[in-house]
Amino acid sequence: MATLEKRTSEGYDDEVDKAPVVAAYSLDERRMAALAEVDNAKFSRFHFKICMVAGVGFFTDSYDIFAINIASIMLGYVYAGSAGLSASQDLGVKVATPVGTLVGQVLFGWLADRVGRKRMYGFELTIMIVATFAQALSGNADAVNIIGALVVWRFIMGVGVGGDYPLSAVISSEFSSTHIRGRLITAVFAFQGWGNFSAALVSLILVTAYKSQLLSETTANPIAIDYMWRLLIGLGCVPAVVALYFRLTIPETPRFTMDIERNLEQATADIIGALRHQDVHYDPDNIRRVAAPKASWSDFSRHFGKWENFKLLFGAAYSWFALDISYFGLGLNSAIILSAVGFGSPDPKVTGTLKYYQNLYNVSVGNLILSVAGLIPGYWASFLVIDSWGRRPIQLMGFSILTVIFTVMGFGYNAMIATAAGTKVFIFLYCLANFFQNFGPNVTTFVIPGEAFPTRYRSTGHGICAASGKVGAIVIQVVFAKLKNIGGTNAFLPHILEIFAFFMITGVCSTLLLPETKSKSLEELSNENQDGFVQGYARNSTNQRA
């Protein structure tokens, strides 16, 4: 006869209907068999759909984040003339999105573990669409400055962008087969490179299209450039609108259904439906919720209070922080750095709107070169080897090589920019840094947190790690804005590059705290005993999905 037992340790807080022990083992076996279906599945059109739906979001994220690199120059010409935006204004429009992203990563990471990946997926994209469109329609008024309005809307957009990080990583991870998981998550993340490239390409097209109108205007508040920046930013919501329907209709991940909703029958049906393309009929009124560990603050503290789990969270979070110091330091300031070294600078004899045109054209071309020569190849180099080399070796290699590159760029800065040949060497090293950021820690700091935490904390853990990265992005933007002109215009740039090198060294150290995650199931990586994970059925409970 079944007995009742109150489980209050190791995360169990249900009254468990303790039928014969074999029943609990049977549930454990059913759970592991269902998960094995996911872990061993061959690559299919369903995996391709997941990759595309998640990837379009990252394309939009990257486009929206890095378009401001060029748009801020346009804004300066329209609203501040040849002097451009002040340091505070430039900092405001660039740092607003990382601040919002930080909030979104923590908030949506927690919500995805709390109420479901599916319920949040699409909501964050809607925030991005609305905020992006609103930026393009912003204007000056007596009580509201255009820069202030953009800062507010870019913060809101950043909240949506932040939500995309944990949601897309975890959804890709939990639907993926073990042997292709690294490549699938990397392929999703690699859409960032195409977003960056597209922002520069759209800018180049707009600058070319409005050339004749721009050259016919005076330098005071050129209308052509006002059209340019609004179109450049506003077009960022187009791919997001296309992807919205598919995000709203994507199924819930079976691991969330099984381990957090604790609905074993529903999860099994979802797996068969998604991977085998078969319909499974069941009566939700008769489905009973199983007894499994539940997320709570005490359980979170207990899990991450163990050194082997805490060092993983700390190592992943700090690695992302160190990486984003250089990644956003370069990415959001590439126009400033390229201008400082004289790459593509307008002819000093040129004045008026022709100077505006040449500068915007050269900055757009420069960003295209950086994307094609460094960013995009780096993502796909990681894609090719991440499931054979492993995540940890790629991250160690990337941080180590970046340390050398930034040391040479920083200490050799003045010597290199003194000659035309030296400037070319500097630009080559700049592209090489972009390459090894992506063929290195930029990819792996995204992949590892999507794999290494238990299901009930996977999205929360990823959100914490990603938010740590955005702290780095915010810090370096403030440092860049406040320090770059110490001693003269852009005179402090070499020292900022030296600061990048220091943080790359610390990234090497934090990587040593991380385990290798390739070729292991998500359950193996959770650091939790899977034998007896399910303790039977919870008493008097059905789990009908809302």
Side-chain angles (χ1 to χ4, degrees):
M1 184 174 179
T3 61
L4 289 178
E5 180 179 335
K6 180 71 175 180
R7 293 297 301 239
T8 57
S9 63
E10 298 300 325
Y12 295 87
D13 60 359
D14 289 301
E15 284 190 337
V16 182
D17 190 356
K18 296 294 288 184
V21 175
V22 67
Y25 284 130
S26 176
L27 290 174
D28 248 349
E29 291 168 358
R30 287 175 57 193
R31 173 176 175 269
M32 296 309 295
L35 292 175
E37 288 261 358
V38 179
D39 291 339
N40 299 322
K42 294 182 179 179
F43 183 79
S44 67
R45 68 171 183 260
F46 178 76
H47 294 111
F48 179 77
K49 177 184 176 181
I50 293 292
C51 180
M52 294 302 296
V53 172
V56 170
F58 269 100
F59 175 94
T60 305
D61 296 346
S62 181
Y63 182 102
D64 290 340
I65 290 173
F66 292 104
I68 199 64
N69 182 32
I70 303 172
S72 64
I73 301 174
M74 297 178 177
L75 287 165
Y77 288 153
V78 176
Y79 298 103
S82 59
L85 297 178
S86 68
S88 296
Q89 289 174 325
D90 186 68
L91 174 62
V93 295
K94 288 181 178 178
V95 83
T97 301
V99 172
T101 302
L102 187 156
V103 173
Q105 286 164 338
V106 175
L107 176 62
F108 280 94
W110 174 73
L111 285 173
D113 281 339
R114 181 81 175 178
V115 301
R117 287 77 159 117
K118 174 182 171 61
R119 288 173 179 158
M120 291 296 102
Y121 216 37
F123 182 62
E124 95 290 3
L125 201 60
T126 303
I127 294 174
M128 290 165 53
I129 292 168
V130 172
T132 302
F133 193 63
Q135 289 175 68
L137 298 180
S138 296
N140 259 329
D142 292 335
V144 181
N145 180 273
I146 179 68
I147 302 301
L150 287 174
V151 167
V152 171
W153 283 116
R154 288 193 69 78
F155 170 82
I156 295 171
M157 182 191 78
V159 174
V161 169
D164 213 29
Y165 277 72
L167 283 164
S168 289
V170 168
I171 285 173
S172 303
S173 174
E174 292 182 350
F175 272 123
S176 179
S177 309
T178 301
H179 67 288
I180 61 168
R181 191 175 60 233
R183 280 173 287 170
L184 185 66
I185 303 174
T186 301
V188 169
F189 197 55
F191 276 79
Q192 270 196 344
W194 295 111
N196 197 316
F197 172 85
S198 297
L201 180 61
V202 169
S203 175
L204 180 62
I205 292 170
L206 291 172
V207 170
T208 304
Y210 280 95
K211 177 181 178 181
S212 59
Q213 180 180 337
L214 175 60
L215 296 182
S216 67
E217 295 186 55
T218 63
T219 56
N221 304 320
I223 301 301
I225 298 181
D226 198 40
Y227 282 116
M228 288 182 205
W229 78 260
R230 293 178 187 278
L231 286 169
L232 175 60
I233 289 178
L235 288 171
C237 68
V238 174
V241 171
V242 173
L244 183 59
Y245 167 78
F246 297 99
R247 288 206 169 185
L248 294 174
T249 57
I250 203 168
E252 183 57 86
T253 71
R255 282 181 164 90
F256 177 87
T257 305
M258 188 178 297
D259 289 352
I260 299 178
E261 287 189 333
R262 297 176 295 158
N263 188 336
L264 187 57
E265 285 81 358
Q266 174 74 62
T268 302
D270 289 347
I271 291 169
I272 293 173
L275 300 179
R276 297 186 189 175
H277 309 292
Q278 300 174 6
D279 292 327
V280 177
H281 301 286
Y282 61 93
D283 181 1
D285 291 330
N286 293 326
I287 292 176
R288 298 184 63 190
R289 183 163 54 91
V290 299
K294 297 174 76 173
S296 66
W297 175 245
S298 61
D299 180 61
F300 181 92
S301 301
R302 181 168 45 247
H303 181 79
F304 290 103
K306 298 175 182 178
W307 169 242
E308 63 269 23
N309 298 326
F310 174 77
K311 74 174 183 178
L312 168 59
L313 180 63
F314 176 80
Y318 184 85
S319 296
W320 207 327
F321 171 85
L323 178 275
D324 274 5
I325 290 285
S326 68
Y327 184 76
F328 281 90
L330 292 182
L332 292 183
N333 298 289
S334 59
I336 294 173
I337 297 174
L338 292 175
S339 297
V341 301
F343 181 77
S345 297
D347 188 329
K349 298 178 182 178
V350 173
T351 60
T353 53
L354 179 58
K355 180 179 180 180
Y356 291 177
Y357 165 76
Q358 285 191 358
N359 191 40
L360 291 172
Y361 181 90
N362 292 339
V363 167
S364 300
V365 171
N367 277 275
L368 278 174
I369 292 171
L370 293 177
S371 295
V372 173
L375 289 171
I376 294 174
Y379 285 112
W380 293 104
S382 289
F383 172 85
L384 291 175
V385 301
I386 195 166
D387 281 319
S388 54
W389 286 16
R391 290 62 155 152
R392 197 166 178 261
I394 292 174
Q395 186 162 310
L396 282 170
M397 175 200 68
F399 272 131
S400 300
I401 294 176
L402 288 169
T403 300
V404 175
I405 291 173
F406 286 127
T407 299
V408 173
M409 290 176 71
F411 288 99
Y413 178 87
N414 292 320
M416 282 188 282
I417 67 169
T419 65
T423 299
K424 291 179 181 178
V425 173
F426 183 90
I427 298 303
F428 171 75
L429 291 174
Y430 195 122
C431 291
L432 205 61
N434 283 330
F435 177 81
F436 280 105
Q437 282 177 331
N438 291 324
F439 185 29
N442 191 39
V443 166
T444 53
T445 53
F446 178 79
V447 173
I448 293 172
E451 302 175 302
F453 302 118
T455 300
R456 63 189 182 281
Y457 299 124
R458 186 167 294 124
S459 185
T460 302
H462 194 285
I464 291 171
C465 295
S468 177
K470 289 306 163 288
V471 171
I474 295 164
V475 167
I476 197 59
Q477 286 310 303
V478 175
V479 167
F480 208 103
K482 299 301 181 183
L483 300 185
K484 70 183 179 71
N485 293 327
I486 292 178
T489 303
N490 296 322
F492 204 76
L493 275 181
H495 301 302
I496 292 177
L497 293 169
E498 292 161 12
I499 291 171
F500 291 172
F502 168 76
F503 278 101
M504 297 306 97
I505 294 174
T506 65
V508 172
C509 298
S510 61
T511 301
L512 297 176
L513 297 174
L514 301 175
E516 179 52 62
T517 60
K518 73 166 185 175
S519 303
K520 295 181 180 179
S521 73
L522 298 181
E523 285 62 47
E524 288 179 89
L525 294 169
S526 69
N527 278 336
E528 293 186 316
N529 187 0
Q530 299 301 303
D531 292 332
F533 187 86
V534 178
Q535 291 290 314
Y537 284 111
R539 185 191 181 201
N540 297 328
S541 62
T542 59
N543 191 24
Q544 186 173 356
R545 179 177 293 173

